[in-house]
Amino acid sequence: MVETNQRKAYGKTLVKLCRENKDIIVLDADLGGSTMGKMVQTDNPKQHLEMGIAEANMASVAGGLARVGKIPFANSFAVFVAGRAYDQIRQSIAIGHLNVKICGSSAGCSDFGDGATHQSIDDLAYMRVIPGMTVIVPADANETEAATKYMAKHQGPMYMRLNRNDYENVTKEGTEFAFNTPTIIEEGKDVVVFACGIMVLKAVEAAELLKGKISVRVVNVSTLKPLNTEKIKELTRDMKGVVTAEEHSVIGGLGSAIAQALCKDNKPIEFVGVEDTFGSSAHSYEDILENLGLTADHIADAIEKIYGM
């Protein structure tokens, strides 16, 4: 059965990687049951470290492990690992360009029940600004598996954010991770939508809503940093305009990166993302996405606005 949950795909992949490579060490900050680091703890406790509710200390320990040749994967909720541990990630990992992999789980507003304190609408901005930090946002569970394998094989500090909930895959199972290569999910000729994470699926749904009216190209941008500017320009060249879609603040995330890449191209652009606000508690994930304007309908509205210019 194909996995449709990013966290579970991540945990299962870590188990396999730890069996293959004894240098991989998985660290959790009291949330292994959510990050799925517990899968490694159960399968091979010698390659798992429980650090307690102490993300900053976990980041420092991860840096130390990397110094002695280990490959640490440090996990927590995105809002905590990117926020609480920012100073240690910057000082103890990034400046030394250490081989530490950081996973921000329950990212965006996917932890809909716990409210703003547990929702990360700013983690991509934090991580993108750190010199030398690779930033990855897999579109689905299939790409999460591929990205995790990529991270284990390649050097340098990397940050990956993952959704909490089950949702349909939009990428093919077993495909190698296309690092720094924006990939077309749906071909179109009128407006291009650059999306990441669950918003790739929402963009595909928006394209379907507009089928026969507007031809929409949907592009999965799973590597936010480094961003392949030339490929972004190539995919935009014949389009009437651009829409970006992300489960993150419109400040500092995918939209900002795409706008910077296209700043000299004079293309109209609309941003679908979290406006200058925090999330909130909700009865369901779909409820909070609707409240924040992160649905297929909102993307379709943005596409129609661009098309009508």
Side-chain angles (χ1 to χ4, degrees):
M1 183 176 176
V2 177
E3 183 59 67
T4 57
N5 184 287
Q6 287 191 314
R7 294 183 301 155
K8 292 177 182 177
Y10 177 65
K12 290 176 181 177
T13 305
L14 282 181
V15 167
K16 294 177 184 177
L17 290 171
C18 284
R19 289 174 180 175
E20 296 167 1
N21 188 345
K22 297 306 177 184
D23 284 333
I24 293 176
I25 306 294
V26 177
L27 299 87
D28 276 297
D30 198 49
L31 289 168
S34 288
T35 67
M36 296 302 159
K38 69 175 183 180
M39 293 184 180
V40 174
Q41 185 179 33
T42 299
D43 187 74
N44 188 349
K46 290 184 178 180
Q47 288 179 256
H48 182 274
L49 293 175
E50 173 52 66
M51 305 303 299
I53 306 173
E55 281 82 1
N57 184 53
M58 179 177 68
S60 295
V61 170
L65 288 168
R67 287 281 185 190
V68 295
K70 302 300 182 182
I71 307 171
F73 278 76
N75 314 308
S76 186
F77 280 15
V79 68
F80 302 140
V81 76
R84 285 180 182 167
Y86 179 84
D87 183 54
Q88 285 71 24
I89 292 171
R90 183 186 188 278
Q91 305 292 79
S92 301
I93 295 172
I95 288 178
H97 201 70
L98 300 182
N99 192 32
V100 176
K101 318 306 175 184
I102 304 159
C103 180
S105 192
S106 296
C109 294
S110 61
D111 184 8
F112 58 85
D114 287 328
T117 58
H118 285 58
Q119 295 164 356
S120 57
I121 48 83
D122 45 11
D123 58 308
L124 296 179
Y126 290 162
M127 294 297 106
R128 280 186 63 232
V129 78
I130 297 177
M133 179 66 71
T134 292
V135 179
I136 295 171
V137 187
D140 56 21
N142 286 340
E143 194 169 38
T144 297
E145 178 181 352
T148 304
K149 291 177 179 177
Y150 175 89
M151 292 167 72
K153 290 179 181 178
H154 294 82
Q155 291 289 315
M158 300 183 186
Y159 175 77
M160 177 170 69
R161 61 140 47 184
L162 301 179
N163 197 290
R164 185 181 183 89
N165 303 294
D166 294 353
Y167 62 88
E168 180 184 349
N169 287 308
V170 293
T171 66
K172 293 181 180 179
E173 185 182 11
T175 304
E176 188 174 339
F177 183 59
F179 175 71
N180 197 21
T181 306
T183 55
I184 297 174
I185 302 296
E186 293 281 342
E187 189 53 274
K189 59 182 177 60
D190 294 328
V191 176
V192 59
V193 181
F194 293 109
C196 62
I198 192 174
M199 298 305 284
V200 179
L201 173 61
K202 300 299 181 184
V204 170
E205 293 171 350
E208 184 63 27
L209 290 174
L210 297 171
K211 202 167 187 178
K213 181 180 178 182
I214 304 173
S215 178
V216 181
R217 174 180 290 168
V218 177
V219 178
N220 172 25
V221 187
S222 53
T223 307
L224 267 67
K225 187 186 175 188
L227 185 69
N228 191 330
T229 300
E230 290 307 311
K231 187 66 175 179
I232 295 296
K233 290 181 177 180
E234 176 189 324
L235 292 167
T236 307
R237 191 163 294 127
D238 298 325
M239 298 290 112
K240 186 175 181 64
V242 176
V243 173
T244 67
E246 60 192 310
E247 190 187 8
H248 183 272
S249 172
V250 293
I251 303 167
L254 175 66
S256 295
I258 297 296
Q260 186 175 15
L262 299 175
C263 64
K264 296 180 180 179
D265 287 13
N266 199 30
K267 294 274 186 181
I269 183 168
E270 288 290 321
F271 305 96
V272 176
V274 180
E275 296 299 330
D276 193 17
T277 186
F278 288 104
S280 62
S281 295
H283 292 294
S284 72
Y285 189 32
E286 291 303 321
D287 281 350
I288 195 167
L289 292 179
E290 175 67 40
N291 184 58
L292 292 172
L294 305 178
T295 68
D297 286 335
H298 289 96
I299 296 173
D301 288 344
I303 293 168
E304 289 184 310
K305 185 174 180 180
I306 289 290
Y307 188 72
M309 287 182 176

